[in-house]
Amino acid sequence: MPSVEELYRNYGILADATEQVGQHKEAYQVILDGVKGGTKEKRLAAQFIPKFFKHFPELADSAINAQLDLCEDEDVSIRRQAIKELPQFATGENLPRVADILTQLLQTDDSAEFNLVNNALLSIFKMDAKGTLGGLFSQILQGEDIVRERAIKFLSTKLKTLPDEVLTKEVEELILTESKKVLEDVTGEEFVLFMKILSGLKSLQTVSGRQQLVELVAEQADLEQTFNPSDPDCVDRLLQCTRQAVPLFSKNVHSTRFVTYFCEQVLPNLSSLTTPVEGLDIQLEVLKLLAEMSSFCGDMEKLETNLRKLFDKLLEYMPLPPEEAENGENAGNEEPKLQFSYVECLLYSFHQLGRKLPDFLTAKLNAEKLKDFKIRLQYFARGLQVYIRQLRLALQGKTGEALKTEENKIKVVALKITNNINVLIKDLFHIPPSYKSTVTLSWKPVQKVEIGQKRANEDTTSGSPPKKSPAGPKRDARQIYNPPSGKYSSNLGNFNYEQRGAFRGSRGGRGWGARGNRSRGRLY
């Protein structure tokens, strides 16, 4: 094996040869043999091998393998030097191989090495994006699980940092094509990351692009299959997919397919839903997603049937007034519990879909059913007014820091919920029922409205202290509003809220498919 002096001497031969460097194959071979030496020889080889690599195509495989040996050396400084120089080998047909190698090196636990690998990948990405993607997706599809995981995270965090001249339309089409292959077998967490990757692509920002993403999510959600409420994985898959679809919906990209599935398959099984996530109110989570989607529902084939299912579910949460004894007191021992959070979601969804069939309550229901509904609305509205007054009184005069306490934050949310329900109930009490009012769901940031909508929204937000709107809804900050039992309870301390735990990312690595641990050795 060559000494330090021999390495320098042969380096000099190659450096002095200028345009005739390719004629000194023996000198380059001596430098390749430097990887078999000691620490000093290896450090020199790590620098010298890539410098002259392009001049010896016939020794390309030997040179790359020699550099890879250094990337796996026990000495961390040698490994780092070897990794840093890897992009110099990314020429022509060698680039996909180098990308594949660098992707495998993402599994390192050394933070400095990991950063070097990331930088090297970004470097060759700018040389040839398609070739680099070939190496990355090769490992995502076939590599070890740790490599797959880190390669996906690399794409989800680094793609958005690349300039437009790198992420061309053709490159984005390749990302979409390869992503579809991966999505045939993913875990829930991986699916979320790929949706983040794809929804960030410029070519998918159009209406047709968003529609394509919705169809991709619908395919993942398995909307053609019968829903199994007792299977936690089935429930989890639907929720994960729906959460990814919701931001994609708009007046031009409709949620009809998802809303139909929720009405036909999920609502009838609402009380049977199971979830592996501790502390999650799965029923409320489903109802909130349905409410968010209902605003963007297009023409529905079985609108009357599905509206009736939604109406029937709403009735379950809108109790009749308790019967009164002859002395005017309640015959029962306790008042029905008014579940405002559930009713907000169901009433909002009914209000949105009801616009498409405005005569549902008057023409599609018999007189007794309509009378029963009005009684329930009236009873709910009476209890609602009491709670609204209590909440406004509790928040009166409070500003700034006083509103930032947990207790007052909860009361602000509760006031939004109750005001929303109040506005919607007023609409339904019109003769005939009206569907014109606009409210902002309590967990969503308040949107700017047109002048014509001002009055409706004043009902929604009156009594709610001004607060800065967040950039977007934070689902893990949602809270469940359970008002005190009884129609006229004045004890605000009885308000019971349960903080919902974060759902996203809680799968613990369990997959939707049967991804096994494809443990493999070095593939360089």
Side-chain angles (χ1 to χ4, degrees):
M1 61 188 71
S3 63
V4 170
E5 290 75 17
E6 288 177 287
L7 288 172
Y8 272 118
R9 185 170 62 252
N10 284 279
Y11 175 85
I13 293 171
L14 295 174
D16 293 339
T18 59
E19 295 180 3
Q20 282 76 42
V21 63
Q23 299 175 9
H24 298 277
K25 184 177 176 181
E26 297 81 3
Y28 191 60
Q29 185 61 58
V30 171
I31 289 175
L32 294 181
D33 292 339
V35 302
K36 302 172 185 175
T39 301
K40 292 180 180 179
E41 288 80 8
K42 289 178 180 178
R43 285 179 182 168
L44 288 176
Q47 299 173 57
F48 295 169
I49 292 172
K51 186 172 180 64
F52 301 104
F53 170 75
K54 64 182 179 181
H55 299 291
F56 300 96
E58 70 278 15
L59 292 176
D61 283 344
S62 298
I64 292 173
N65 287 330
Q67 194 77 5
L68 293 180
D69 286 338
L70 298 175
C71 289
E72 294 182 332
D73 197 83
E74 293 180 359
D75 189 317
V76 65
S77 64
I78 293 173
R79 292 202 306 272
R80 291 175 184 174
Q81 181 65 45
I83 292 169
K84 183 180 178 181
E85 303 294 344
L86 271 179
Q88 295 193 52
F89 294 86
T91 57
E93 62 184 18
N94 294 314
L95 189 140
R97 183 184 176 191
V98 173
D100 190 285
I101 292 163
L102 283 168
T103 304
Q104 293 183 62
L105 290 173
L106 284 170
Q107 65 187 294
T108 179
D109 292 324
D110 182 278
S111 59
E113 277 183 56
F114 185 76
N115 289 334
L116 284 171
V117 174
N118 272 268
N119 291 336
L121 273 170
L122 284 173
S123 175
I124 65 170
F125 222 117
K126 293 169 184 175
M127 299 178 197
D128 181 354
K130 287 186 176 180
T132 306
L133 286 168
L136 280 160
F137 276 103
S138 171
Q139 285 300 313
I140 289 172
L141 287 165
Q142 302 174 33
E144 297 180 34
D145 283 353
I146 182 65
V147 174
R148 174 186 172 101
E149 176 189 334
R150 293 187 179 180
I152 294 172
K153 285 183 178 177
F154 173 86
L155 288 174
S156 69
T157 56
K158 303 300 182 183
L159 278 183
K160 59 188 177 185
T161 68
L162 294 170
D164 291 349
E165 57 265 25
V166 174
L167 284 181
T168 62
K169 184 179 179 181
E170 291 74 20
V171 170
E172 290 194 344
E173 286 174 354
L174 176 62
I175 293 171
L176 178 59
T177 301
E178 293 299 314
S179 295
K180 286 180 178 178
K181 295 177 186 176
V182 180
L183 288 172
E184 293 176 6
D185 182 14
V186 290
T187 66
E189 184 179 356
E190 289 172 344
F191 173 67
V192 170
L193 288 174
F194 267 101
M195 286 308 300
K196 178 182 176 183
I197 292 167
L198 296 177
S199 60
L201 299 180
K202 295 187 298 297
S203 58
L204 295 179
Q205 302 299 319
T206 61
V207 170
S208 60
R210 293 291 174 185
Q211 187 61 52
Q212 194 173 355
L213 287 177
V214 167
E215 290 168 4
L216 196 152
V217 176
E219 187 178 332
Q220 275 294 317
D222 234 356
L223 298 183
E224 302 301 325
Q225 298 297 316
T226 302
F227 181 65
N228 182 0
S230 61
D231 180 359
D233 276 350
C234 179
V235 176
D236 182 47
R237 175 196 285 261
L238 179 63
L239 292 188
Q240 290 269 28
C241 290
T242 306
R243 287 194 193 102
Q244 297 307 308
V246 165
L248 302 171
F249 297 135
S250 67
K251 63 180 181 180
N252 296 315
V253 180
H254 294 157
S255 59
T256 314
R257 193 173 171 191
F258 280 84
V259 173
T260 300
Y261 190 83
F262 269 60
C263 289
E264 293 179 352
Q265 301 270 351
V266 185
L267 280 183
N269 296 296
L270 192 65
S271 60
S272 306
L273 296 178
T274 54
T275 174
V277 184
E278 187 177 349
L280 174 71
D281 186 334
I282 188 68
Q283 295 182 42
L284 182 60
E285 181 70 10
V286 165
L287 294 179
K288 286 190 173 188
L289 288 171
L290 176 59
E292 289 191 54
M293 294 189 293
S294 64
S295 306
F296 304 111
C297 185
D299 295 333
M300 186 182 287
E301 284 186 17
K302 301 176 182 177
L303 177 59
E304 183 181 339
T305 301
N306 289 327
L307 197 55
R308 190 175 295 275
K309 288 179 180 178
L310 185 54
F311 177 77
D312 290 341
K313 185 58 64 175
L314 173 61
L315 290 185
E316 292 181 22
Y317 292 94
M318 300 201 72
L320 285 165
E323 294 181 7
E324 293 187 352
E326 292 181 3
N327 60 3
E329 297 293 329
N330 287 346
N333 291 327
E334 63 178 58
E335 299 271 351
K337 188 175 183 180
L338 306 183
Q339 294 178 292
F340 290 159
S341 292
Y342 289 71
V343 171
E344 180 195 15
C345 298
L346 286 163
L347 202 55
Y348 182 88
S349 300
F350 179 77
H351 193 267
Q352 292 294 317
L353 296 187
R355 292 175 177 174
K356 301 178 180 301
L357 193 63
D359 64 345
F360 175 80
L361 289 174
T362 53
K364 307 300 181 182
L365 293 181
N366 60 45
E368 279 300 312
K369 195 84 170 175
L370 179 58
K371 180 181 176 182
D372 173 83
F373 183 51
K374 288 290 182 76
I375 292 172
R376 292 171 189 266
L377 282 178
Q378 191 171 39
Y379 173 67
F380 206 96
R382 284 163 57 196
L384 196 66
Q385 293 302 323
V386 174
Y387 298 134
I388 289 174
R389 285 196 296 271
Q390 292 174 0
L391 288 165
R392 285 178 176 166
L393 186 62
L395 292 169
Q396 191 173 3
K398 290 184 172 62
T399 57
E401 291 300 317
L403 289 172
K404 294 180 181 178
T405 66
E406 279 305 307
E407 183 181 357
N408 284 332
K409 282 182 182 178
I410 286 169
K411 289 173 183 174
V412 169
V413 173
L415 188 58
K416 288 181 181 179
I417 294 171
T418 49
N419 275 329
N420 280 350
I421 298 173
N422 192 40
V423 171
L424 297 174
I425 286 180
K426 283 181 180 179
D427 248 17
L428 297 180
F429 260 123
H430 280 96
I431 300 175
S434 170
Y435 299 93
K436 294 180 180 178
S437 293
T438 302
V439 300
T440 300
L441 290 165
S442 59
W443 62 91
K444 306 266 300 171
V446 177
Q447 303 293 321
K448 289 184 178 180
V449 297
E450 300 298 325
I451 300 294
Q453 297 176 326
K454 186 178 179 183
R455 184 174 181 81
N457 270 5
E458 281 175 350
D459 283 332
T460 312
T461 56
S462 58
S464 176
K467 62 183 286 187
K468 200 169 184 178
S469 296
K474 295 184 180 178
R475 288 196 170 86
D476 57 348
R478 289 182 188 166
Q479 293 166 316
I480 302 166
Y481 177 48
N482 295 319
S485 297
K487 198 166 35 173
Y488 300 112
S489 172
S490 60
N491 185 358
L492 281 174
N494 286 343
F495 284 169
N496 177 24
Y497 292 78
E498 297 173 14
Q499 181 70 38
R500 186 171 66 74
F503 185 73
R504 183 173 298 172
S506 57
R507 293 183 59 77
R510 289 186 299 109
W512 295 340
R515 288 197 72 246
N517 184 354
R518 296 180 295 269
S519 182
R520 297 170 16 170
R522 169 170 157 179
L523 299 177
Y524 309 133

